[in-house]
């Protein structure tokens, strides 16, 4: 390996099982020399196998509900008492009760809509605000959240997660300004291809959708492994001046209008 | 006048006083032959002079809290009993408790953040969902919401309204897909220059900000009068195939990197 | 009609036959009270039926090769001697020798590539530069060019016209800055749905492509008639503060990621 | 170093002297284990000190006018006879006669405008087309060109280079589609901060412009050194699924509307 993250410390949110992008990021960050704490919601911990991952990475899991300031404060306190200031954070958190319960976009439950926003977007602001107030991040550290192109274009099945991702990307820009100006911390989002995670594949019609994107992308859909590689690049010192950006990691999908594969079938 | 809205009926949300963009839209819609109901939050009705406007437009005011489904249902019921199906809706609603109380973006109160989103963005979804479920809009009718470029780029003083506007614009796209597919209703946002409304000018540092944008825009800042003109164009049949768009009405500001005015001073 | 262009004078480039967008713009501009000169390349005049259109609009045709400064100067001189300063210009000009001769994008002839750029994009700069130097446009006049979303996303059949449209849109921004700052002239592009013009329908695979866009657009493809309506709105005083913009007039296509129509077939 | 490019071979266009971004890329690519040929126009070779760089990198310089297919074919033939198929190409080439001769954007010389496009944009297509036809690039190889945000927003001093960069970025998308589909080659552009290169600093008013961007960017302007780091990341296997993208490497400039630094002065 390349020691790209040698000596770097961080927190990785959102690893559930071996299909999670955060799971792959953890493995690759470890390979590149990083140390980190794994975190996920208490309920996710019961359902997933994150302890296996912790073992493989010689680290520990600290549960935290990312919508709870108290949980996040406790998490950052523990991380800082272990590592001092941190170098990177991954936010891979998203959930929509409206999607789960199959509410149509034209029949949304608004308490759930606010919950979608709180869990999937405001949680990112909370992570950043807690880190900012605790001065938990070193200069030039890197914060990354995962997003999807539904923030720019409509994919009906994505439902109110479209708004959550639009909010998330806006938070990356807004907080990126404040944290960059004050501490040279960079904040970006990776807009990833549809990915066969345990969460993703639960969405109705996900297969058709996955195949459509795969066919439309010149390089095919980006895998969770390659997404983890790209995340490593963003955590490394090679990308210190990239901030407040939404970076498409999608095999070219976002720049495609139509392909010959569609025209000739 | 040009009779561009002759025979068209609608609802205009958000007129407070003669500085409001919605106020100007009402006057111009009237001139162009439209009939409409004015609506605003009960509290805004007490503070403003919307009854003067109603008189000038020979219409009535129906108070509605745009975050309340019940209020919106009652409003649409009354509008439909008066006019039948409608042709246009203007959403000019926004408020951030965090801005009001001078909370820094790095010290947000999260209950208030959710309130900002509910009032300034989810209210737009609620208006659309109520209209959609009541089948309140004719084919080819036009729905417009007002937004600001802080949804794309960071303006520190705009605070969590940046996220609200990003959410609002996403709702325009998402609902525009559903309503367009089902009923050929179009949904767009106008991204307007900073405007000297009673609400806008209350924001800290608004003057500096207004002048900066004015200086950077080749045509200067767009006035509320010209914004009303543009809104009329979007309500008219001249723009029937424009949907799911965010349209910059800003004297060119959004396409400027730098101007000679800045370079030579 | 609405007298939206009453008293306004202009030049309309690019009407060939009744399928041309420029043809429809001419008819609707006439209806709205405008007077204008029609212009097209000498070769296009021989192939088309523009004289019929001139008759219907009680005007004349002045041939001009829009890549020739001399021709453009003569045209603007005649127009100004007839009308004085002008209020609007439509640029609907595009041609790619590489597309015509079926050269693949990976086997371009570079002399032809430069010709594509000169005819389809630099011609727009030439029109603007001649107008600017002759002070041919009134304050607040409106210049519009037609473009296509291939400037943002790849549509293989569009070939080097993608680069021509990217250049054209950049010229609208750049010249819009200069002309706006000096004379409050606004310059925009309309990014129109694929249109069954005589030129468009000659492109290989155009039918499949047209149907794909039509199916993906919530309102369907925008017709040339509705494009003419939108152009009238941009020529009118309703849009005086819109400049340096690329405006999608496409039934929502540009904001669509995927539709249920595709997912369920 | 991290051996990120161990065993990789390439061509680097555009190193002139130690202020060139391409110069820094060469040094860092060498450090990371790559081998490559340096190329520049014959005239640039006379003016610069590229032979020093070649020595430092234990490699050779092969002159090529990047607008000449013959020169490019000879260059790729030599490179392939030395290395076999290649893994990366850097295009850092741009020149505008109109800028050089201080022609205003409203008084352009059109032969020079075409020259600007040919040198600064079509050269990139020529490099790609020659590589494509010779099958010179391995699967998953990476092609990068340097660009500037003037392709999206107007910076008056940038003149017709705005159109050149818009064309360049369009070529990256278009060719990225073809090369990606056929050979999984990725093609991207890096949109870099204003940089104190020998070329850049020759532009009129560059200092004011540089300072403006520096002040507006939360992390300050990105240096040529950090741009080289980012280029290495794009050449490496960490970014294999990123293609057809324009990536801002600018300290956040592109996402800024206004900063407190401007508001408080």
């Amino acid at each position: 390996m390349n020691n790209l993250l040698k000596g770097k410390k961080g927190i990785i949110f959102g690893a559930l099982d071996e299909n999670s992008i955060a799971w792959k990021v953890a493995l690759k960050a470890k390979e590149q020399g990083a140390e980190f704490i794994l975190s996920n919601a208490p309920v996710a911990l019961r359902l997933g196998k994150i302890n296996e991952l912790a073992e493989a990475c010689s680290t520990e899991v600290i549960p935290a509900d990312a919508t709870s300031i108290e949980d996040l404060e406790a998490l950052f306190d523990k991380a800082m008492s272990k590592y001092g200031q941190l170098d990177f954070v991954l936010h891979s958190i998203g959930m929509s009760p409206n999607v789960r319960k199959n509410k149509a976009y034209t029949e949304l439950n608004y308490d759930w809509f606010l919950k979608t926003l709180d869990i999937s977007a405001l949680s990112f602001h909370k992570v950043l605000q807690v880190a900012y107030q605790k001065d938990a991040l070193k200069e030039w550290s890197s914060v990354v959240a995962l997003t999807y192109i539904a923030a720019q274009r409509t994919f009906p099945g994505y439902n109110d997660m479209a708004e959550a991702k639009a909010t998330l990307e806006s938070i990356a820009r807004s907080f990126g300004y404040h944290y960059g100006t004050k501490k040279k911390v960079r904040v970006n989002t990776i807009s990833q291809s549809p990915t066969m995670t345990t969460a993703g594949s639960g969405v109705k019609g996900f297969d058709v959708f996955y195949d459509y994107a795969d066919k439309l992308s010149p390089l095919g859909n980006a895998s969770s492994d390659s997404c983890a590689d790209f995340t490593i690049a963003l955590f490394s010192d090679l990308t210190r001046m990239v901030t407040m950006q939404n970076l498409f990691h999608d095999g070219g999908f976002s720049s495609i209008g139509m392909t010959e594969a569609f025209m000739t079938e």
Side-chain angles (χ1 to χ4, degrees), chain A:
Chain A
M1 283 306 112
N2 317 101
N3 284 319
L4 280 171
L5 305 184
K6 196 177 171 186
K8 293 194 189 288
K9 326 286 186 189
I11 300 177
I12 293 175
F13 288 92
L16 182 72
D17 60 29
E18 65 280 3
N19 298 316
S20 311
I21 294 171
W23 186 285
K24 311 279 187 172
V25 172
L27 292 176
K28 295 204 184 237
K30 171 79 178 166
E31 269 181 14
Q32 294 286 355
E35 292 176 81
F36 45 84
I37 281 166
L38 298 168
S39 184
N40 209 332
V43 59
L45 296 191
R46 282 195 301 278
L47 298 170
K49 353 188 215 167
I50 193 171
N51 287 318
E52 289 179 29
L53 178 65
E55 209 169 316
C57 297
S58 322
T59 186
E60 64 183 307
V61 179
I62 300 179
D65 172 352
T67 66
S68 155
I69 296 291
E70 295 69 40
D71 281 17
L72 290 172
E73 289 182 333
L75 169 61
F76 273 92
D77 285 342
K78 283 182 207 160
M80 289 180 78
S81 74
K82 186 167 182 180
Y83 298 134
Q85 281 185 312
L86 306 175
D87 301 274
F88 64 88
V89 176
L90 176 69
H91 178 282
S92 175
I93 299 170
M95 200 278 285
S96 159
N98 282 303
V99 170
R100 288 245 176 132
K101 310 272 177 80
N102 286 315
K103 297 294 273 183
Y105 188 77
T106 53
E107 296 176 4
L108 290 187
N109 174 309
Y110 291 104
D111 289 336
W112 293 349
F113 194 168
L114 287 172
K115 239 185 171 44
T116 300
L117 294 172
D118 194 30
I119 295 170
S120 312
L122 268 63
S123 63
F124 190 45
H125 192 287
K126 289 172 184 174
V127 165
L128 284 159
Q129 183 160 307
V130 166
Y132 186 92
Q133 292 184 357
K134 292 190 176 296
D135 195 15
L137 300 180
K138 275 190 209 136
E139 286 213 346
W140 299 110
S141 57
S142 173
V143 181
V144 170
L146 297 180
T147 186
Y148 183 59
I149 192 175
Q152 284 78 38
R153 301 184 204 159
T154 299
F155 295 77
Y158 212 69
N159 211 318
D160 62 351
M161 281 299 293
E163 281 72 43
K165 292 305 196 188
T167 306
L168 180 82
E169 296 175 17
S170 180
I171 289 169
R173 284 188 295 272
S174 300
F175 225 117
Y177 163 74
H178 290 285
Y179 225 150
T181 302
K182 186 156 183 206
K183 284 278 172 173
K184 300 204 174 296
V185 169
R186 61 202 202 267
V187 185
N188 296 288
T189 50
I190 296 177
S191 188
Q192 161 70 3
S193 294
T195 313
M196 286 288 184
T197 59
T198 303
S201 54
V203 176
K204 195 181 71 169
F206 185 78
D207 285 8
V208 182
F209 173 51
Y210 181 91
D211 290 344
Y212 172 82
D214 193 49
K215 194 171 172 185
L216 215 53
S217 307
L219 304 181
N221 286 332
S223 68
S224 52
D225 259 316
S226 63
C227 185
D229 286 332
F230 189 48
T231 306
I232 298 300
L234 286 177
F235 285 164
S236 81
D237 292 335
L238 297 168
T239 55
R240 285 170 85 153
M241 296 302 283
V242 177
T243 194
M244 305 171 70
Q245 301 300 313
N246 180 42
L247 302 153
F248 288 100
H249 182 262
D250 64 358
F253 178 84
S254 50
S255 294
I256 288 294
M258 190 190 194
T259 68
E260 277 159 12
F262 269 89
M263 290 182 68
T264 54
E265 76 183 3

